[in-house]
Tab-separated table of all heavy atoms in Angstrom:
chain	number	residue	atom	x	y	z
A	704	SER	N	-19.050	-148.324	-168.457
A	704	SER	CA	-18.775	-148.135	-169.967
A	704	SER	C	-19.774	-148.875	-170.733
A	704	SER	O	-20.354	-148.349	-171.712
A	704	SER	CB	-17.410	-148.608	-170.283
A	704	SER	OG	-16.369	-147.711	-169.690
A	705	TYR	N	-20.069	-150.237	-170.439
A	705	TYR	CA	-20.992	-150.960	-171.121
A	705	TYR	C	-22.398	-150.354	-171.095
A	705	TYR	O	-23.193	-150.478	-172.043
A	705	TYR	CB	-20.945	-152.419	-170.701
A	705	TYR	CG	-19.794	-153.268	-171.159
A	705	TYR	CD1	-18.722	-152.641	-171.877
A	705	TYR	CD2	-19.737	-154.597	-170.940
A	705	TYR	CE1	-17.673	-153.325	-172.318
A	705	TYR	CE2	-18.676	-155.420	-171.349
A	705	TYR	CZ	-17.640	-154.686	-172.046
A	705	TYR	OH	-16.497	-155.411	-172.458
A	706	SER	N	-22.729	-149.939	-169.884
A	706	SER	CA	-24.036	-149.311	-169.745
A	706	SER	C	-24.201	-148.080	-170.640
A	706	SER	O	-25.292	-147.819	-171.269
A	706	SER	CB	-24.358	-148.923	-168.249
A	706	SER	OG	-24.323	-150.029	-167.494
A	707	THR	N	-23.165	-147.252	-170.678
A	707	THR	CA	-23.072	-146.083	-171.545
A	707	THR	C	-23.231	-146.503	-172.976
A	707	THR	O	-24.063	-145.863	-173.779
A	707	THR	CB	-21.810	-145.260	-171.328
A	707	THR	OG1	-21.709	-144.959	-170.031
A	707	THR	CG2	-21.840	-144.030	-172.236
A	708	TYR	N	-22.545	-147.491	-173.475
A	708	TYR	CA	-22.589	-148.018	-174.867
A	708	TYR	C	-24.045	-148.471	-175.200
A	708	TYR	O	-24.526	-148.159	-176.309
A	708	TYR	CB	-21.642	-149.100	-175.126
A	708	TYR	CG	-20.202	-148.756	-174.807
A	708	TYR	CD1	-19.275	-149.857	-174.485
A	708	TYR	CD2	-19.678	-147.510	-174.801
A	708	TYR	CE1	-17.908	-149.488	-174.157
A	708	TYR	CE2	-18.358	-147.211	-174.551
A	708	TYR	CZ	-17.542	-148.182	-174.154
A	708	TYR	OH	-16.181	-147.860	-173.895
A	709	PHE	N	-24.706	-149.162	-174.290
A	709	PHE	CA	-26.063	-149.592	-174.544
A	709	PHE	C	-26.976	-148.370	-174.637
A	709	PHE	O	-27.731	-148.387	-175.717
A	709	PHE	CB	-26.500	-150.446	-173.333
A	709	PHE	CG	-27.995	-150.776	-173.449
A	709	PHE	CD1	-28.493	-151.787	-174.330
A	709	PHE	CD2	-28.918	-150.127	-172.684
A	709	PHE	CE1	-29.806	-152.122	-174.347
A	709	PHE	CE2	-30.215	-150.381	-172.799
A	709	PHE	CZ	-30.684	-151.449	-173.577
A	710	ILE	N	-26.876	-147.455	-173.759
A	710	ILE	CA	-27.824	-146.297	-173.805
A	710	ILE	C	-27.628	-145.560	-175.075
A	710	ILE	O	-28.563	-145.167	-175.798
A	710	ILE	CB	-27.672	-145.394	-172.606
A	710	ILE	CG1	-28.135	-146.156	-171.290
A	710	ILE	CG2	-28.453	-144.091	-172.718
A	710	ILE	CD1	-27.787	-145.497	-169.964
A	711	VAL	N	-26.273	-145.236	-175.428
A	711	VAL	CA	-25.942	-144.445	-176.608
A	711	VAL	C	-26.416	-145.200	-177.959
A	711	VAL	O	-26.951	-144.603	-178.832
A	711	VAL	CB	-24.492	-144.123	-176.656
A	711	VAL	CG1	-24.163	-143.450	-177.983
A	711	VAL	CG2	-24.150	-143.184	-175.505
A	712	SER	N	-26.201	-146.535	-177.894
A	712	SER	CA	-26.587	-147.293	-179.107
A	712	SER	C	-28.146	-147.273	-179.264
A	712	SER	O	-28.613	-147.189	-180.403
A	712	SER	CB	-26.110	-148.732	-178.921
A	712	SER	OG	-24.647	-148.774	-178.874
A	713	ARG	N	-28.855	-147.416	-178.070
A	713	ARG	CA	-30.305	-147.379	-178.246
A	713	ARG	C	-30.766	-145.969	-178.580
A	713	ARG	O	-31.770	-145.811	-179.272
A	713	ARG	CB	-30.929	-147.800	-176.930
A	713	ARG	CG	-30.800	-149.260	-176.632
A	713	ARG	CD	-31.545	-150.257	-177.593
A	713	ARG	NE	-33.005	-150.036	-177.502
A	713	ARG	CZ	-33.812	-149.640	-178.435
A	713	ARG	NH1	-33.335	-149.308	-179.605
A	713	ARG	NH2	-35.064	-149.532	-178.226
A	714	PHE	N	-29.949	-144.961	-178.281
A	714	PHE	CA	-30.394	-143.601	-178.603
A	714	PHE	C	-30.243	-143.427	-180.147
A	714	PHE	O	-31.068	-142.914	-180.796
A	714	PHE	CB	-29.468	-142.561	-177.864
A	714	PHE	CG	-29.748	-141.120	-178.343
A	714	PHE	CD1	-30.883	-140.499	-177.646
A	714	PHE	CD2	-29.051	-140.493	-179.196
A	714	PHE	CE1	-31.157	-139.138	-178.111
A	714	PHE	CE2	-29.222	-139.178	-179.587
A	714	PHE	CZ	-30.351	-138.493	-179.002
A	715	ILE	N	-29.117	-143.749	-180.646
A	715	ILE	CA	-28.833	-143.510	-182.095
A	715	ILE	C	-29.722	-144.398	-183.059
A	715	ILE	O	-29.900	-144.081	-184.245
A	715	ILE	CB	-27.360	-143.582	-182.520
A	715	ILE	CG1	-26.846	-145.053	-182.305
A	715	ILE	CG2	-26.538	-142.609	-181.695
A	715	ILE	CD1	-25.415	-145.179	-182.757
A	716	SER	N	-30.331	-145.474	-182.485
A	716	SER	CA	-31.164	-146.221	-183.249
A	716	SER	C	-32.575	-145.589	-183.435
A	716	SER	O	-33.298	-145.977	-184.268
A	716	SER	CB	-31.307	-147.662	-182.750
A	716	SER	OG	-32.043	-147.683	-181.543
A	717	GLN	N	-32.870	-144.614	-182.578
A	717	GLN	CA	-34.195	-143.950	-182.706
A	717	GLN	C	-34.247	-143.124	-183.942
A	717	GLN	O	-33.268	-142.468	-184.289
A	717	GLN	CB	-34.418	-143.025	-181.441
A	717	GLN	CG	-34.254	-143.717	-180.080
A	717	GLN	CD	-35.261	-144.834	-179.966
A	717	GLN	OE1	-36.449	-144.729	-180.214
A	717	GLN	NE2	-34.833	-145.996	-179.510
A	718	THR	N	-35.422	-143.115	-184.651
A	718	THR	CA	-35.552	-142.391	-185.841
A	718	THR	C	-36.743	-141.502	-185.802
A	718	THR	O	-37.794	-141.740	-185.136
A	718	THR	CB	-35.767	-143.339	-187.012
A	718	THR	OG1	-36.859	-144.197	-186.764
A	718	THR	CG2	-34.482	-144.226	-187.233
A	719	VAL	N	-36.706	-140.370	-186.485
A	719	VAL	CA	-37.732	-139.376	-186.647
A	719	VAL	C	-37.816	-139.126	-188.164
A	719	VAL	O	-36.841	-138.654	-188.755
A	719	VAL	CB	-37.540	-138.083	-185.847
A	719	VAL	CG1	-38.595	-137.049	-186.197
A	719	VAL	CG2	-37.544	-138.409	-184.370
A	720	ASN	N	-38.930	-139.406	-188.740
A	720	ASN	CA	-39.146	-139.213	-190.230
A	720	ASN	C	-38.064	-140.012	-190.991
A	720	ASN	O	-37.476	-139.520	-192.022
A	720	ASN	CB	-39.165	-137.759	-190.636
A	720	ASN	CG	-40.334	-137.062	-189.999
A	720	ASN	OD1	-41.408	-137.661	-189.714
A	720	ASN	ND2	-40.194	-135.776	-189.838
A	721	GLY	N	-37.607	-141.189	-190.536
A	721	GLY	CA	-36.666	-141.984	-191.201
A	721	GLY	C	-35.203	-141.542	-190.897
A	721	GLY	O	-34.292	-142.184	-191.421
A	722	LYS	N	-34.931	-140.537	-190.197
A	722	LYS	CA	-33.649	-140.000	-189.868
A	722	LYS	C	-33.217	-140.511	-188.491
A	722	LYS	O	-33.953	-140.318	-187.511
A	722	LYS	CB	-33.521	-138.529	-190.031
A	722	LYS	CG	-33.636	-137.999	-191.456
A	722	LYS	CD	-33.487	-136.517	-191.478
A	722	LYS	CE	-33.399	-135.996	-192.919
A	722	LYS	NZ	-32.277	-136.501	-193.713
A	723	HIS	N	-32.008	-140.930	-188.348
A	723	HIS	CA	-31.441	-141.419	-187.042
A	723	HIS	C	-31.191	-140.260	-186.135
A	723	HIS	O	-30.770	-139.187	-186.583
A	723	HIS	CB	-30.160	-142.165	-187.228
A	723	HIS	CG	-30.395	-143.683	-187.710
A	723	HIS	ND1	-30.528	-144.674	-186.867
A	723	HIS	CD2	-30.545	-144.163	-188.918
A	723	HIS	CE1	-30.705	-145.778	-187.549
A	723	HIS	NE2	-30.731	-145.512	-188.813
A	724	ALA	N	-31.392	-140.539	-184.836
A	724	ALA	CA	-30.942	-139.574	-183.799
A	724	ALA	C	-29.392	-139.475	-183.967
A	724	ALA	O	-28.695	-140.457	-184.267
A	724	ALA	CB	-31.270	-140.118	-182.426
A	725	LYS	N	-28.814	-138.243	-183.632
A	725	LYS	CA	-27.472	-137.997	-183.861
A	725	LYS	C	-26.673	-137.781	-182.510
A	725	LYS	O	-27.258	-137.234	-181.561
A	725	LYS	CB	-27.236	-136.832	-184.749
A	725	LYS	CG	-27.775	-137.053	-186.233
A	725	LYS	CD	-27.471	-135.795	-187.005
A	725	LYS	CE	-27.982	-136.029	-188.457
A	725	LYS	NZ	-27.653	-134.894	-189.367
A	726	ILE	N	-25.389	-138.220	-182.605
A	726	ILE	CA	-24.604	-138.008	-181.417
A	726	ILE	C	-23.365	-137.172	-181.825
A	726	ILE	O	-22.865	-137.225	-182.915
A	726	ILE	CB	-24.159	-139.310	-180.708
A	726	ILE	CG1	-23.375	-140.205	-181.679
A	726	ILE	CG2	-25.344	-140.062	-180.081
A	726	ILE	CD1	-22.679	-141.389	-181.027
A	727	TYR	N	-22.845	-136.507	-180.825
A	727	TYR	CA	-21.533	-135.743	-180.923
A	727	TYR	C	-20.758	-136.135	-179.688
A	727	TYR	O	-21.249	-136.159	-178.639
A	727	TYR	CB	-21.725	-134.198	-180.937
A	727	TYR	CG	-22.368	-133.739	-182.267
A	727	TYR	CD1	-23.743	-133.772	-182.427
A	727	TYR	CD2	-21.569	-133.297	-183.300
A	727	TYR	CE1	-24.373	-133.353	-183.572
A	727	TYR	CE2	-22.156	-132.824	-184.485
A	727	TYR	CZ	-23.606	-132.854	-184.679
A	727	TYR	OH	-24.130	-132.423	-185.774
């Protein structure tokens, strides 16, 4: 679970043209 939270958190912090990566 903690590994998943880390990966997902680092994913949504990524930005393209100032917009955050999105999760569902």
